[in-house]
Amino acid sequence: VVGPGVTVTLDDADAPDPLPDGLTGDDYIVHQQDVQGVVNALWRSGASGVTVMGQRLISTSSVRCVGNTVILQGQVYSPPFVISAVGDPAAMTTSLDNDRTVSIYREYVDLYGLGYLVRSESSMTIPPFTGTILPSVATVPATVTAPSRASATPSTSGSGS
């Protein structure tokens, strides 16, 4: 997919040492819901293609967070997390501005110094999805034999066997 779009960069903050009372290291890192919130806002705005860290997202893509890394289609990525989308930059920027999850993230940007940068681009390319969409491991046996009714019936003899 080629066209105008936006690139959003999310980055961890530098946590002070020692941490202020009531805060943890988790308050200073980008989380799965932050990346997912940006992705959802971009799709909602009508984006025709979205990538996270250069990988094209499809309907079965899953962005998962492990610590301060993101796992996407088996690859592990560290911040800064770069999300790009082709579509109307004004519509995507408005969608990001109005999205509740992104708004919460932006509050943390202001409070703790997390990174948030939105850049409009006149032309960008979203590459095709390169993974597989068909199962490659699961198989169905050629024939399945159900147990016979006799072998599934409990014993009625008095011996308990």
Side-chain angles (χ1 to χ4, degrees):
V1 177
V2 178
V6 299
T7 297
V8 180
T9 304
L10 307 177
D11 201 0
D12 291 350
D14 292 326
D17 186 19
L19 291 171
D21 288 343
L23 298 179
T24 70
D26 282 345
D27 294 316
Y28 294 90
I29 65 173
V30 177
H31 293 278
Q32 174 180 330
Q33 68 265 20
D34 306 322
V35 175
Q36 195 65 57
V38 169
V39 168
N40 290 345
L42 295 171
W43 281 127
R44 195 175 346 346
S45 72
S48 54
V50 178
T51 66
V52 173
M53 303 302 282
Q55 285 203 48
R56 176 79 174 263
L57 299 184
I58 61 172
S59 62
T60 58
S61 296
S62 173
V63 177
R64 293 182 295 131
C65 184
V66 176
N68 72 332
T69 64
V70 163
I71 299 175
L72 177 62
Q73 297 159 16
Q75 296 286 343
V76 178
Y77 299 99
S78 296
F81 302 115
V82 179
I83 303 125
S84 298
V86 167
D88 177 5
M92 289 191 281
T93 301
T94 299
S95 184
L96 290 165
D97 290 345
N98 294 331
D99 185 89
R100 182 67 188 136
T101 302
V102 176
S103 293
I104 292 169
Y105 178 80
R106 286 196 326 261
E107 290 175 17
Y108 277 71
V109 168
D110 294 338
L111 291 170
Y112 306 119
L114 290 166
Y116 180 73
L117 176 65
V118 179
R119 206 173 57 244
S120 292
E121 304 196 26
S122 59
S123 182
M124 60 182 357
T125 301
I126 300 293
F129 178 72
T130 57
T132 181
I133 57 173
L134 299 174
S136 61
V137 177
T139 59
V140 176
T143 59
V144 177
T145 306
S148 71
R149 197 162 167 78
S151 64
T153 304
S155 171
T156 57
S157 69
S159 65
S161 57

